[in-house]
Protein backbone atom coordinates (compact mmCIF):
# COMPACT_ATOMS: atom_id res chain seq x y z
CA UNK A 1 0.00 0.00 0.00
CA UNK A 2 2.86 2.43 0.78
CA UNK A 3 4.26 1.87 -2.72
CA UNK A 4 0.95 2.87 -4.31
CA UNK A 5 0.72 5.93 -2.06
CA UNK A 6 4.22 6.98 -3.10
CA UNK A 7 3.31 6.49 -6.77
CA UNK A 8 0.06 8.51 -6.62
CA UNK A 9 0.37 12.00 -8.11
CA UNK A 10 -1.72 15.07 -7.28
CA UNK A 11 -2.29 17.19 -10.37
CA UNK A 12 -3.24 20.85 -9.91
CA UNK A 13 -3.40 23.19 -12.87
CA UNK A 14 -5.11 26.34 -14.07
CA UNK A 15 -6.86 26.01 -17.38
CA UNK A 16 -6.93 28.80 -19.97
CA UNK A 17 -10.30 30.03 -18.66
CA UNK A 18 -8.88 30.41 -15.12
CA UNK A 19 -10.40 27.24 -13.68
CA UNK A 20 -8.33 25.49 -11.01
CA UNK A 21 -8.47 21.73 -11.64
CA UNK A 22 -7.24 19.33 -8.93
CA UNK A 23 -7.24 15.56 -9.29
CA UNK A 24 -5.41 12.37 -8.34
CA UNK A 25 -3.52 10.33 -10.89
CA UNK A 26 -3.57 6.82 -9.46
CA UNK A 27 -0.88 4.23 -10.21
CA UNK A 28 -1.92 2.11 -13.20
CA UNK A 29 -4.55 4.83 -13.92
CA UNK A 30 -7.08 3.31 -11.51
CA UNK A 31 -8.09 3.59 -7.88
CA UNK A 32 -8.42 0.37 -5.91
CA UNK A 33 -11.40 -0.36 -3.66
CA UNK A 34 -10.23 1.06 -0.32
CA UNK A 35 -8.07 3.86 -1.68
CA UNK A 36 -9.12 7.46 -1.47
CA UNK A 37 -7.88 10.99 -1.32
CA UNK A 38 -9.19 14.23 0.13
CA UNK A 39 -8.23 17.83 -0.55
CA UNK A 40 -8.46 20.95 1.56
CA UNK A 41 -8.08 23.95 -0.72
CA UNK A 42 -7.69 27.36 0.91
CA UNK A 43 -8.10 30.35 -1.38
CA UNK A 44 -8.24 34.06 -0.58
CA UNK A 45 -11.36 34.60 -2.68
CA UNK A 46 -13.32 33.05 -5.51
CA UNK A 47 -16.17 34.12 -7.70
CA UNK A 48 -18.10 31.00 -8.54
CA UNK A 49 -17.20 27.38 -8.01
CA UNK A 50 -17.87 23.99 -9.57
CA UNK A 51 -16.97 21.12 -7.24
CA UNK A 52 -17.38 17.51 -8.37
CA UNK A 53 -16.54 14.15 -6.88
CA UNK A 54 -17.83 10.66 -7.55
CA UNK A 55 -17.45 9.38 -4.01
CA UNK A 56 -17.01 11.86 -1.21
CA UNK A 57 -18.10 14.83 0.82
CA UNK A 58 -18.00 18.38 -0.54
CA UNK A 59 -17.72 21.45 1.72
CA UNK A 60 -17.59 25.13 0.70
CA UNK A 61 -17.28 27.94 3.25
CA UNK A 62 -17.27 31.70 2.80
CA UNK A 63 -17.24 31.98 -0.99
CA UNK A 64 -19.39 33.90 -3.49
CA UNK A 65 -20.85 33.70 -6.99
CA UNK A 66 -22.69 30.78 -8.55
CA UNK A 67 -21.88 27.51 -6.76
CA UNK A 68 -22.43 24.10 -8.35
CA UNK A 69 -21.62 21.03 -6.26
CA UNK A 70 -22.11 17.42 -7.41
CA UNK A 71 -21.36 14.10 -5.73
CA UNK A 72 -22.83 10.67 -6.32
CA UNK A 73 -22.07 9.31 -2.87
CA UNK A 74 -21.55 11.87 -0.11
CA UNK A 75 -22.84 14.87 1.77
CA UNK A 76 -22.70 18.47 0.62
CA UNK A 77 -22.24 21.34 3.07
CA UNK A 78 -22.27 25.01 2.04
CA UNK A 79 -22.09 27.85 4.55
CA UNK A 80 -21.69 31.62 4.42
CA UNK A 81 -22.05 31.62 0.64
CA UNK A 82 -23.12 34.76 -1.21
CA UNK A 83 -24.85 33.72 -4.41
CA UNK A 84 -27.02 30.98 -5.89
CA UNK A 85 -26.25 27.35 -5.02
CA UNK A 86 -27.05 24.21 -7.02
CA UNK A 87 -26.24 21.09 -4.99
CA UNK A 88 -26.93 17.51 -6.12
CA UNK A 89 -26.13 14.18 -4.50
CA UNK A 90 -27.58 10.73 -5.11
CA UNK A 91 -26.74 9.36 -1.69
CA UNK A 92 -26.18 11.95 1.01
CA UNK A 93 -27.43 14.97 2.88
CA UNK A 94 -27.35 18.57 1.59
CA UNK A 95 -26.91 21.33 4.20
CA UNK A 96 -26.99 25.05 3.37
CA UNK A 97 -26.46 27.52 6.22
CA UNK A 98 -25.89 31.23 6.81
Amino acid sequence: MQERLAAAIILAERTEDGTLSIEVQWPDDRRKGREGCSFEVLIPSATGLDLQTSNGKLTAVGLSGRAELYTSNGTIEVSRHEGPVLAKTKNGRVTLSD
Side-chain angles (χ1 to χ4, degrees):
M1 184 177 297
Q2 291 297 326
E3 291 174 5
R4 285 188 59 79
L5 175 61
I9 298 170
I10 306 302
L11 301 172
E13 65 181 359
R14 283 243 184 238
T15 61
E16 288 184 20
D17 68 358
T19 299
L20 175 61
S21 175
I22 303 171
E23 62 184 80
V24 179
Q25 184 177 32
W26 297 101
D28 305 325
D29 291 324
R30 65 182 202 90
R31 181 183 66 86
K32 291 190 176 180
R34 293 194 177 259
E35 294 176 328
C37 183
S38 63
F39 300 104
E40 181 174 344
V41 180
L42 305 174
I43 54 176
S45 65
T47 303
L49 63 140
D50 180 353
L51 303 178
Q52 300 176 29
T53 183
S54 61
N55 189 21
K57 175 181 178 178
L58 294 173
T59 303
V61 180
L63 298 172
S64 65
R66 181 171 173 80
E68 296 186 17
L69 301 96
Y70 302 95
T71 180
S72 61
N73 190 28
T75 62
I76 296 175
E77 297 178 3
V78 179
S79 63
R80 298 190 328 263
H81 188 82
E82 294 187 29
V85 175
L86 173 61
K88 292 184 181 181
T89 180
K90 292 182 181 178
N91 186 21
R93 179 181 69 246
V94 175
T95 304
L96 305 174
S97 61
D98 299 330

Coordinates of all heavy atoms in Angstrom, one line a residue:
M1 N 0.8 -1.2 0.0 CA 0.0 0.0 0.0 C 0.9 1.3 0.0 O 0.5 2.2 -0.7 CB -0.9 0.0 1.2 CG -1.9 1.2 1.2 SD -3.1 1.2 2.5 CE -4.0 -0.2 2.2
Q2 N 2.0 1.3 0.7 CA 2.9 2.4 0.8 C 3.5 2.7 -0.6 O 3.7 3.9 -0.9 CB 4.0 2.2 1.8 CG 3.5 2.2 3.3 CD 2.9 3.6 3.6 OE1 3.3 4.6 3.2 NE2 1.9 3.5 4.5
E3 N 3.7 1.7 -1.4 CA 4.3 1.9 -2.7 C 3.2 2.6 -3.6 O 3.6 3.5 -4.4 CB 4.7 0.5 -3.3 CG 5.9 -0.1 -2.7 CD 6.1 -1.5 -3.2 OE1 5.4 -1.9 -4.2 OE2 7.0 -2.2 -2.7
R4 N 2.0 2.2 -3.5 CA 0.9 2.9 -4.3 C 0.8 4.3 -3.9 O 0.6 5.2 -4.7 CB -0.4 2.1 -4.2 CG -0.4 0.8 -5.1 CD -1.7 0.2 -5.2 NE -2.8 1.0 -5.7 CZ -3.0 1.2 -7.0 NH1 -2.1 0.7 -7.9 NH2 -4.0 2.0 -7.4
L5 N 0.8 4.6 -2.6 CA 0.7 5.9 -2.1 C 1.9 6.8 -2.6 O 1.7 7.9 -3.1 CB 0.8 5.9 -0.5 CG 0.8 7.3 0.1 CD1 -0.5 8.1 -0.2 CD2 0.9 7.2 1.6
A6 N 3.1 6.2 -2.6 CA 4.2 7.0 -3.1 C 4.1 7.2 -4.6 O 4.7 8.2 -5.1 CB 5.5 6.2 -2.8
A7 N 3.4 6.4 -5.3 CA 3.3 6.5 -6.8 C 2.1 7.4 -7.2 O 2.0 7.8 -8.4 CB 3.2 5.1 -7.4
A8 N 1.2 7.7 -6.3 CA 0.1 8.5 -6.6 C 0.5 9.9 -6.8 O 1.4 10.4 -6.1 CB -1.0 8.5 -5.5
I9 N 0.0 10.6 -7.8 CA 0.4 12.0 -8.1 C -0.9 12.9 -8.0 O -1.9 12.6 -8.5 CB 0.9 12.1 -9.5 CG1 2.2 11.2 -9.7 CG2 1.2 13.5 -9.9 CD1 2.7 11.0 -11.1
I10 N -0.7 14.1 -7.3 CA -1.7 15.1 -7.3 C -1.4 16.1 -8.4 O -0.4 16.7 -8.5 CB -1.7 15.8 -5.9 CG1 -1.8 14.8 -4.8 CG2 -2.9 16.8 -5.9 CD1 -3.0 13.9 -4.8
L11 N -2.4 16.3 -9.3 CA -2.3 17.2 -10.4 C -3.1 18.4 -10.1 O -4.3 18.3 -9.8 CB -2.8 16.6 -11.7 CG -2.0 15.3 -12.1 CD1 -2.7 14.7 -13.3 CD2 -0.6 15.6 -12.4
A12 N -2.5 19.6 -10.1 CA -3.2 20.9 -9.9 C -2.8 21.8 -11.0 O -1.6 22.0 -11.2 CB -2.9 21.4 -8.5
E13 N -3.8 22.3 -11.8 CA -3.4 23.2 -12.9 C -4.5 24.2 -13.1 O -5.7 23.9 -12.9 CB -3.1 22.4 -14.1 CG -4.3 21.7 -14.7 CD -3.9 20.9 -16.0 OE1 -2.8 20.9 -16.4 OE2 -4.8 20.2 -16.5
R14 N -4.1 25.3 -13.6 CA -5.1 26.3 -14.1 C -5.3 26.2 -15.6 O -4.4 26.1 -16.3 CB -4.6 27.7 -13.8 CG -4.7 28.1 -12.4 CD -5.6 29.3 -12.3 NE -5.6 29.7 -10.9 CZ -6.7 29.8 -10.1 NH1 -7.8 29.5 -10.6 NH2 -6.6 30.1 -8.9
T15 N -6.6 26.1 -16.0 CA -6.9 26.0 -17.4 C -6.9 27.4 -18.0 O -6.8 28.4 -17.3 CB -8.2 25.3 -17.6 OG1 -9.2 26.1 -17.0 CG2 -8.2 23.9 -17.0
E16 N -7.0 27.5 -19.3 CA -6.9 28.8 -20.0 C -8.0 29.7 -19.5 O -7.9 30.9 -19.5 CB -7.0 28.6 -21.5 CG -5.7 28.0 -22.1 CD -5.8 27.9 -23.6 OE1 -6.6 28.6 -24.2 OE2 -5.0 27.2 -24.1
D17 N -9.2 29.2 -19.1 CA -10.3 30.0 -18.7 C -10.2 30.4 -17.2 O -11.1 31.0 -16.6 CB -11.7 29.4 -19.0 CG -11.9 28.1 -18.1 OD1 -11.0 27.7 -17.3 OD2 -13.0 27.6 -18.3
G18 N -9.1 30.0 -16.5 CA -8.9 30.4 -15.1 C -9.3 29.4 -14.1 O -9.2 29.6 -12.9
T19 N -9.9 28.3 -14.6 CA -10.4 27.2 -13.7 C -9.2 26.5 -13.0 O -8.2 26.2 -13.7 CB -11.2 26.2 -14.5 OG1 -12.3 26.9 -15.1 CG2 -11.7 25.1 -13.6
L20 N -9.3 26.3 -11.7 CA -8.3 25.5 -11.0 C -8.8 24.1 -11.0 O -9.9 23.8 -10.4 CB -8.1 26.0 -9.6 CG -7.2 25.2 -8.7 CD1 -5.8 25.1 -9.3 CD2 -7.1 25.8 -7.3
S21 N -8.1 23.1 -11.6 CA -8.5 21.7 -11.6 C -7.5 20.9 -10.8 O -6.3 21.1 -10.9 CB -8.4 21.2 -13.1 OG -8.7 19.9 -13.1
I22 N -8.1 20.1 -9.8 CA -7.2 19.3 -8.9 C -7.8 17.9 -9.0 O -8.9 17.7 -8.8 CB -7.3 19.8 -7.5 CG1 -6.9 21.3 -7.4 CG2 -6.5 19.0 -6.6 CD1 -7.2 22.0 -6.1
E23 N -6.8 17.0 -9.2 CA -7.2 15.6 -9.3 C -6.1 14.6 -8.9 O -4.9 15.1 -8.9 CB -7.8 15.2 -10.7 CG -6.7 15.4 -11.8 CD -7.3 15.1 -13.2 OE1 -8.0 16.0 -13.7 OE2 -7.1 14.0 -13.7
V24 N -6.4 13.4 -8.7 CA -5.4 12.4 -8.3 C -5.1 11.5 -9.6 O -6.1 11.1 -10.3 CB -5.9 11.4 -7.2 CG1 -4.9 10.4 -6.9 CG2 -6.3 12.2 -6.0
Q25 N -3.9 11.3 -9.8 CA -3.5 10.3 -10.9 C -3.0 9.1 -10.2 O -2.0 9.1 -9.5 CB -2.4 10.9 -11.8 CG -2.1 10.0 -12.9 CD -1.0 10.6 -13.8 OE1 -0.2 11.3 -13.4 NE2 -1.1 10.3 -15.1
W26 N -3.9 8.1 -10.2 CA -3.6 6.8 -9.5 C -2.6 6.0 -10.2 O -2.6 6.0 -11.5 CB -4.9 6.0 -9.3 CG -5.9 6.7 -8.4 CD1 -7.0 7.4 -8.9 CD2 -5.9 6.9 -7.0 NE1 -7.6 8.0 -7.8 CE2 -7.0 7.7 -6.7 CE3 -5.0 6.5 -6.0 CZ2 -7.3 8.0 -5.3 CZ3 -5.3 6.8 -4.7 CH2 -6.4 7.6 -4.4
P27 N -1.8 5.2 -9.5 CA -0.9 4.2 -10.2 C -1.7 3.3 -11.1 O -2.8 2.9 -10.7 CB -0.2 3.4 -9.1 CG -0.4 4.3 -7.9 CD -1.6 5.1 -8.1
D28 N -1.2 3.0 -12.2 CA -1.9 2.1 -13.2 C -3.2 2.7 -13.7 O -4.1 2.1 -14.1 CB -2.2 0.7 -12.6 CG -1.0 0.0 -12.1 OD1 0.1 0.2 -12.8 OD2 -1.1 -0.7 -11.1
D29 N -3.4 4.1 -13.5 CA -4.6 4.8 -13.9 C -5.9 4.3 -13.3 O -6.9 4.5 -14.0 CB -4.6 4.9 -15.5 CG -3.5 5.7 -16.0 OD1 -3.2 6.7 -15.4 OD2 -3.0 5.4 -17.1
R30 N -5.8 3.7 -12.1 CA -7.1 3.3 -11.5 C -6.9 3.3 -10.0 O -5.9 2.9 -9.5 CB -7.6 2.0 -12.0 CG -6.7 0.8 -11.7 CD -7.4 -0.5 -12.4 NE -6.9 -1.7 -11.7 CZ -7.5 -2.2 -10.7 NH1 -8.6 -1.7 -10.2 NH2 -7.0 -3.3 -10.1
R31 N -8.0 3.6 -9.3 CA -8.1 3.6 -7.9 C -8.6 2.2 -7.5 O -9.5 1.7 -8.0 CB -9.1 4.7 -7.4 CG -9.2 4.7 -5.9 CD -10.2 5.8 -5.5 NE -11.5 5.4 -5.9 CZ -12.4 4.6 -5.2 NH1 -12.0 4.1 -4.1 NH2 -13.6 4.4 -5.7
K32 N -8.0 1.7 -6.4 CA -8.4 0.4 -5.9 C -9.5 0.6 -4.8 O -9.6 1.7 -4.3 CB -7.2 -0.4 -5.3 CG -6.3 -0.9 -6.4 CD -5.3 -1.9 -5.9 CE -4.4 -2.4 -7.0 NZ -3.4 -3.3 -6.5
G33 N -10.2 -0.4 -4.5 CA -11.4 -0.4 -3.7 C -11.3 0.5 -2.4 O -12.2 1.3 -2.1
R34 N -10.3 0.3 -1.6 CA -10.2 1.1 -0.3 C -9.3 2.3 -0.4 O -9.1 2.9 0.6 CB -9.8 0.1 0.8 CG -10.7 -1.0 1.1 CD -10.4 -1.6 2.4 NE -11.4 -2.6 2.7 CZ -12.3 -2.4 3.6 NH1 -12.5 -1.3 4.2 NH2 -13.2 -3.4 3.9
E35 N -8.9 2.7 -1.6 CA -8.1 3.9 -1.7 C -8.9 5.1 -1.8 O -10.0 5.1 -2.3 CB -7.2 3.7 -2.9 CG -6.2 2.6 -2.8 CD -5.3 2.5 -4.0 OE1 -5.8 2.7 -5.1 OE2 -4.2 2.1 -3.9
G36 N -8.4 6.2 -1.4 CA -9.1 7.5 -1.5 C -8.2 8.6 -1.2 O -7.0 8.4 -0.8
C37 N -8.7 9.8 -1.5 CA -7.9 11.0 -1.3 C -8.8 12.1 -1.0 O -9.9 12.2 -1.5 CB -7.1 11.3 -2.6 SG -6.0 12.7 -2.5
S38 N -8.4 13.0 -0.1 CA -9.2 14.2 0.1 C -8.3 15.5 0.0 O -7.1 15.4 0.1 CB -9.8 14.2 1.5 OG -8.8 14.2 2.5
F39 N -8.9 16.6 -0.4 CA -8.2 17.8 -0.6 C -8.8 18.9 0.3 O -10.1 19.0 0.5 CB -8.4 18.3 -2.0 CG -7.8 17.4 -3.0 CD1 -8.7 16.6 -3.8 CD2 -6.5 17.3 -3.2 CE1 -8.2 15.7 -4.7 CE2 -6.0 16.4 -4.2 CZ -6.8 15.6 -4.9
E40 N -8.0 19.7 0.9 CA -8.5 20.9 1.6 C -7.8 22.1 0.8 O -6.6 22.2 0.8 CB -8.1 21.0 3.0 CG -8.5 22.2 3.7 CD -8.3 22.2 5.2 OE1 -8.0 21.1 5.8 OE2 -8.4 23.3 5.8
V41 N -8.6 22.9 0.1 CA -8.1 23.9 -0.7 C -8.5 25.3 -0.1 O -9.6 25.6 0.1 CB -8.7 23.9 -2.2 CG1 -8.1 25.0 -3.0 CG2 -8.4 22.5 -2.8
L42 N -7.5 26.1 0.3 CA -7.7 27.4 0.9 C -7.4 28.4 -0.1 O -6.3 28.4 -0.7 CB -6.8 27.5 2.2 CG -7.0 26.5 3.2 CD1 -6.0 26.7 4.3 CD2 -8.4 26.4 3.8
I43 N -8.3 29.3 -0.4 CA -8.1 30.3 -1.4 C -8.5 31.7 -0.8 O -9.5 31.7 0.0 CB -8.9 30.1 -2.7 CG1 -10.4 29.8 -2.4 CG2 -8.3 28.9 -3.4 CD1 -11.2 29.6 -3.6
P44 N -7.9 32.8 -1.2 CA -8.2 34.1 -0.6 C -9.6 34.5 -1.0 O -10.3 35.2 -0.3 CB -7.1 35.0 -1.1 CG -6.6 34.3 -2.3 CD -6.8 32.9 -2.1
S45 N -10.0 34.2 -2.2 CA -11.4 34.6 -2.7 C -11.6 33.8 -4.0 O -10.7 33.4 -4.6 CB -11.5 36.1 -2.9 OG -10.6 36.5 -4.0
A46 N -12.9 33.7 -4.3 CA -13.3 33.1 -5.5 C -14.7 33.6 -5.9 O -15.5 33.9 -5.1 CB -13.4 31.5 -5.3
T47 N -14.9 33.7 -7.2 CA -16.2 34.1 -7.7 C -16.7 33.0 -8.5 O -16.3 32.8 -9.6 CB -16.1 35.4 -8.6 OG1 -15.5 36.4 -7.8 CG2 -17.4 35.8 -9.0
G48 N -17.5 32.2 -7.9 CA -18.1 31.0 -8.5 C -17.2 29.8 -8.3 O -16.0 29.9 -8.1
L49 N -17.9 28.6 -8.2 CA -17.2 27.4 -8.0 C -18.0 26.2 -8.6 O -19.2 26.3 -8.6 CB -16.9 27.1 -6.5 CG -18.0 26.9 -5.6 CD1 -17.7 25.8 -4.6 CD2 -18.2 28.2 -4.8
D50 N -17.3 25.2 -9.0 CA -17.9 24.0 -9.6 C -17.1 22.9 -9.0 O -15.9 22.6 -9.3 CB -17.7 24.0 -11.1 CG -18.3 22.7 -11.7 OD1 -18.7 21.8 -11.0 OD2 -18.4 22.7 -13.0
L51 N -17.6 22.2 -7.9 CA -17.0 21.1 -7.2 C -17.6 19.8 -7.6 O -18.9 19.7 -7.6 CB -17.1 21.3 -5.7 CG -16.5 22.6 -5.2 CD1 -16.7 22.7 -3.6 CD2 -15.0 22.8 -5.5
Q52 N -16.8 18.8 -8.0 CA -17.4 17.5 -8.4 C -16.5 16.4 -7.8 O -15.3 16.5 -7.8 CB -17.4 17.4 -9.9 CG -18.2 18.4 -10.6 CD -18.0 18.3 -12.1 OE1 -17.8 17.2 -12.6 NE2 -18.2 19.4 -12.8
T53 N -17.2 15.4 -7.3 CA -16.5 14.1 -6.9 C -17.5 13.0 -7.1 O -18.7 13.2 -7.1 CB -16.1 14.2 -5.4 OG1 -15.4 13.0 -5.1 CG2 -17.3 14.3 -4.5
S54 N -17.0 11.8 -7.3 CA -17.8 10.7 -7.6 C -18.1 9.9 -6.3 O -19.0 9.2 -6.2 CB -17.2 9.7 -8.6 OG -16.0 9.2 -8.1
N55 N -17.3 10.1 -5.2 CA -17.5 9.4 -4.0 C -16.8 10.1 -2.8 O -15.8 9.8 -2.4 CB -16.8 8.0 -4.2 CG -17.1 7.1 -3.0 OD1 -18.1 7.3 -2.3 ND2 -16.3 6.1 -2.8
G56 N -17.6 11.1 -2.4 CA -17.0 11.9 -1.2 C -17.8 13.1 -0.8 O -18.8 13.5 -1.5
K57 N -17.4 13.7 0.3 CA -18.1 14.8 0.8 C -17.5 16.1 0.2 O -16.3 16.2 -0.1 CB -17.8 14.9 2.3 CG -18.3 16.1 3.0 CD -17.9 16.0 4.5 CE -18.4 17.2 5.3 NZ -18.1 17.1 6.7
L58 N -18.4 17.1 0.0 CA -18.0 18.4 -0.5 C -18.4 19.4 0.5 O -19.5 19.4 1.0 CB -18.7 18.7 -1.9 CG -18.3 17.8 -3.1 CD1 -19.2 18.1 -4.3 CD2 -16.8 18.0 -3.4
T59 N -17.5 20.4 0.8 CA -17.7 21.5 1.7 C -17.2 22.7 1.1 O -16.1 22.8 0.6 CB -17.0 21.2 3.1 OG1 -17.5 19.9 3.6 CG2 -17.3 22.3 4.1
A60 N -18.0 23.8 1.2 CA -17.6 25.1 0.7 C -18.0 26.1 1.8 O -19.1 26.2 2.2 CB -18.2 25.5 -0.6
V61 N -17.0 27.0 2.2 CA -17.3 27.9 3.3 C -16.8 29.3 2.8 O -15.6 29.5 2.4 CB -16.6 27.5 4.5 CG1 -16.8 28.5 5.7 CG2 -17.0 26.1 5.0
G62 N -17.7 30.3 3.0 CA -17.3 31.7 2.8 C -16.9 32.1 1.4 O -16.0 33.0 1.3
L63 N -17.5 31.6 0.4 CA -17.2 32.0 -1.0 C -18.4 32.8 -1.6 O -19.4 33.0 -0.9 CB -16.9 30.7 -1.8 CG -15.7 30.0 -1.4 CD1 -15.5 28.7 -2.1 CD2 -14.4 30.8 -1.5
S64 N -18.3 33.1 -2.8 CA -19.4 33.9 -3.5 C -19.5 33.5 -4.9 O -18.7 32.8 -5.5 CB -19.1 35.4 -3.4 OG -18.0 35.7 -4.1
G65 N -20.6 34.0 -5.6 CA -20.8 33.7 -7.0 C -21.7 32.4 -7.1 O -22.1 31.9 -6.1
R66 N -21.9 32.0 -8.3 CA -22.7 30.8 -8.6 C -21.9 29.6 -8.1 O -20.7 29.4 -8.5 CB -23.0 30.6 -10.0 CG -23.9 29.4 -10.3 CD -24.4 29.4 -11.8 NE -25.0 28.2 -12.1 CZ -26.3 27.9 -11.8 NH1 -27.0 28.8 -11.1 NH2 -26.8 26.8 -12.2
A67 N -22.5 28.7 -7.3 CA -21.9 27.5 -6.8 C -22.6 26.3 -7.3 O -23.8 26.2 -7.1 CB -21.9 27.5 -5.2
E68 N -21.9 25.4 -7.9 CA -22.4 24.1 -8.4 C -21.6 23.0 -7.7 O -20.4 22.9 -7.9 CB -22.4 24.0 -9.9 CG -23.3 25.0 -10.6 CD -23.4 24.9 -12.1 OE1 -23.0 23.8 -12.6 OE2 -23.8 25.8 -12.7
L69 N -22.3 22.1 -7.0 CA -21.6 21.0 -6.3 C -22.3 19.7 -6.6 O -23.5 19.6 -6.5 CB -21.7 21.3 -4.7 CG -21.0 22.6 -4.3 CD1 -22.0 23.7 -4.1 CD2 -20.3 22.4 -3.0
Y70 N -21.6 18.7 -7.0 CA -22.1 17.4 -7.4 C -21.3 16.3 -6.8 O -20.1 16.3 -6.9 CB -22.0 17.2 -8.9 CG -22.8 18.3 -9.7 CD1 -22.1 19.4 -10.2 CD2 -24.1 18.2 -10.0 CE1 -22.7 20.4 -10.9 CE2 -24.8 19.2 -10.7 CZ -24.1 20.3 -11.2 OH -24.7 21.2 -11.9
T71 N -22.0 15.3 -6.2 CA -21.4 14.1 -5.7 C -22.4 13.0 -5.9 O -23.6 13.2 -5.7 CB -20.9 14.2 -4.3 OG1 -20.3 12.9 -3.9 CG2 -22.0 14.5 -3.3
S72 N -21.9 11.8 -6.2 CA -22.8 10.7 -6.3 C -23.0 9.9 -5.0 O -23.9 9.2 -4.8 CB -22.4 9.7 -7.4 OG -21.1 9.2 -7.1
N73 N -22.0 10.1 -4.1 CA -22.1 9.3 -2.9 C -21.4 10.1 -1.7 O -20.3 9.8 -1.4 CB -21.4 8.0 -3.1 CG -21.6 7.0 -1.9 OD1 -22.6 7.1 -1.2 ND2 -20.7 6.1 -1.6
G74 N -22.1 11.1 -1.2 CA -21.5 11.9 -0.1 C -22.4 13.1 0.2 O -23.4 13.4 -0.5
T75 N -22.1 13.7 1.3 CA -22.8 14.9 1.8 C -22.3 16.1 1.1 O -21.1 16.2 0.7 CB -22.8 15.0 3.3 OG1 -21.4 15.2 3.7 CG2 -23.3 13.8 4.0
I76 N -23.1 17.2 1.1 CA -22.7 18.5 0.6 C -23.0 19.5 1.7 O -24.2 19.5 2.2 CB -23.4 18.8 -0.7 CG1 -23.0 17.9 -1.8 CG2 -23.1 20.3 -1.1 CD1 -23.8 18.1 -3.1
E77 N -22.0 20.3 2.1 CA -22.2 21.3 3.1 C -21.8 22.7 2.5 O -20.6 22.8 2.1 CB -21.5 21.0 4.4 CG -22.0 19.8 5.0 CD -21.2 19.4 6.3 OE1 -20.3 20.2 6.7 OE2 -21.5 18.4 6.9
V78 N -22.6 23.7 2.5 CA -22.3 25.0 2.0 C -22.7 26.0 3.1 O -23.8 26.0 3.6 CB -23.0 25.4 0.7 CG1 -22.6 26.8 0.2 CG2 -22.7 24.3 -0.4
S79 N -21.8 26.8 3.5 CA -22.1 27.8 4.5 C -21.5 29.2 4.2 O -20.4 29.2 3.5 CB -21.6 27.4 5.9 OG -20.2 27.3 6.0
R80 N -22.1 30.2 4.6 CA -21.7 31.6 4.4 C -21.4 31.9 3.0 O -20.4 32.5 2.6 CB -20.5 31.9 5.3 CG -20.8 31.9 6.8 CD -19.7 32.4 7.7 NE -18.4 32.3 7.3 CZ -17.5 31.3 7.6 NH1 -17.9 30.4 8.4 NH2 -16.3 31.3 7.2
H81 N -22.2 31.4 2.1 CA -22.1 31.6 0.6 C -22.9 32.8 0.2 O -24.1 32.8 0.5 CB -22.4 30.3 -0.1 CG -22.0 30.4 -1.6 ND1 -20.7 30.2 -2.0 CD2 -22.8 30.8 -2.7 CE1 -20.7 30.4 -3.3 NE2 -21.9 30.8 -3.7
E82 N -22.4 33.7 -0.6 CA -23.1 34.8 -1.2 C -23.3 34.5 -2.7 O -22.4 34.7 -3.5 CB -22.4 36.1 -1.0 CG -22.3 36.5 0.5 CD -21.7 37.8 0.7 OE1 -21.8 38.7 -0.2 OE2 -21.0 38.0 1.7
G83 N -24.5 34.0 -3.0 CA -24.9 33.7 -4.4 C -25.7 32.5 -4.5 O -26.0 31.8 -3.5
P84 N -26.2 32.2 -5.7 CA -27.0 31.0 -5.9 C -26.2 29.7 -5.7 O -25.0 29.6 -6.1 CB -27.5 31.1 -7.3 CG -26.6 32.0 -8.0 CD -26.0 32.9 -7.0
V85 N -26.9 28.6 -5.2 CA -26.3 27.3 -5.0 C -27.1 26.3 -5.7 O -28.3 26.2 -5.5 CB -26.1 27.0 -3.5 CG1 -25.5 25.6 -3.3 CG2 -25.2 28.1 -2.8
L86 N -26.4 25.4 -6.5 CA -27.0 24.2 -7.0 C -26.3 23.0 -6.4 O -25.1 22.9 -6.7 CB -27.0 24.2 -8.6 CG -27.4 22.9 -9.3 CD1 -28.9 22.6 -9.0 CD2 -27.2 23.0 -10.7
A87 N -26.9 22.2 -5.6 CA -26.2 21.1 -5.0 C -27.0 19.8 -5.3 O -28.2 19.7 -5.0 CB -26.2 21.3 -3.5
K88 N -26.3 18.8 -5.8 CA -26.9 17.5 -6.1 C -26.1 16.4 -5.6 O -24.9 16.3 -5.8 CB -27.1 17.3 -7.6 CG -28.0 18.3 -8.3 CD -28.1 18.0 -9.8 CE -29.1 18.9 -10.5 NZ -29.2 18.6 -11.9
T89 N -26.8 15.4 -4.9 CA -26.1 14.2 -4.5 C -27.1 13.1 -4.6 O -28.3 13.3 -4.5 CB -25.6 14.3 -3.0 OG1 -25.0 13.0 -2.7 CG2 -26.7 14.6 -2.1
K90 N -26.7 11.9 -5.0 CA -27.6 10.7 -5.1 C -27.7 10.0 -3.8 O -28.7 9.3 -3.6 CB -27.1 9.8 -6.2 CG -27.1 10.3 -7.6 CD -26.7 9.4 -8.6 CE -26.7 10.0 -10.0 NZ -26.2 9.1 -11.0
N91 N -26.7 10.1 -2.9 CA -26.7 9.4 -1.7 C -26.1 10.2 -0.6 O -24.9 9.9 -0.3 CB -26.0 8.0 -1.9 CG -26.2 7.1 -0.7 OD1 -27.0 7.3 0.2 ND2 -25.3 6.2 -0.6
G92 N -26.8 11.2 -0.1 CA -26.2 12.0 1.0 C -27.1 13.1 1.4 O -28.1 13.4 0.7
R93 N -26.7 13.8 2.4 CA -27.4 15.0 2.9 C -26.9 16.3 2.3 O -25.7 16.4 2.0 CB -27.3 15.0 4.4 CG -28.0 16.1 5.1 CD -27.7 16.1 6.6 NE -26.3 16.4 6.9 CZ -25.4 15.6 7.5 NH1 -25.8 14.3 7.8 NH2 -24.2 15.9 7.7
V94 N -27.7 17.2 2.0 CA -27.3 18.6 1.6 C -27.7 19.6 2.7 O -28.8 19.6 3.2 CB -28.1 19.0 0.3 CG1 -27.7 20.4 -0.1 CG2 -27.7 18.0 -0.9
T95 N -26.7 20.3 3.1 CA -26.9 21.3 4.2 C -26.4 22.7 3.7 O -25.3 22.8 3.3 CB -26.1 20.9 5.5 OG1 -26.5 19.6 5.9 CG2 -26.4 21.9 6.6
L96 N -27.3 23.7 3.7 CA -27.0 25.1 3.4 C -27.2 25.9 4.6 O -28.3 25.8 5.2 CB -27.8 25.6 2.2 CG -27.8 24.7 0.9 CD1 -28.8 25.3 -0.1 CD2 -26.4 24.7 0.3
S97 N -26.3 26.7 5.0 CA -26.5 27.5 6.2 C -25.8 28.9 6.0 O -24.9 29.1 5.3 CB -25.9 26.8 7.5 OG -24.5 26.6 7.3
D98 N -26.4 29.8 6.8 CA -25.9 31.2 6.8 C -25.9 31.8 5.4 O -25.0 32.4 4.9 CB -24.5 31.3 7.4 CG -24.4 30.9 8.8 OD1 -25.4 31.0 9.5 OD2 -23.4 30.4 9.2

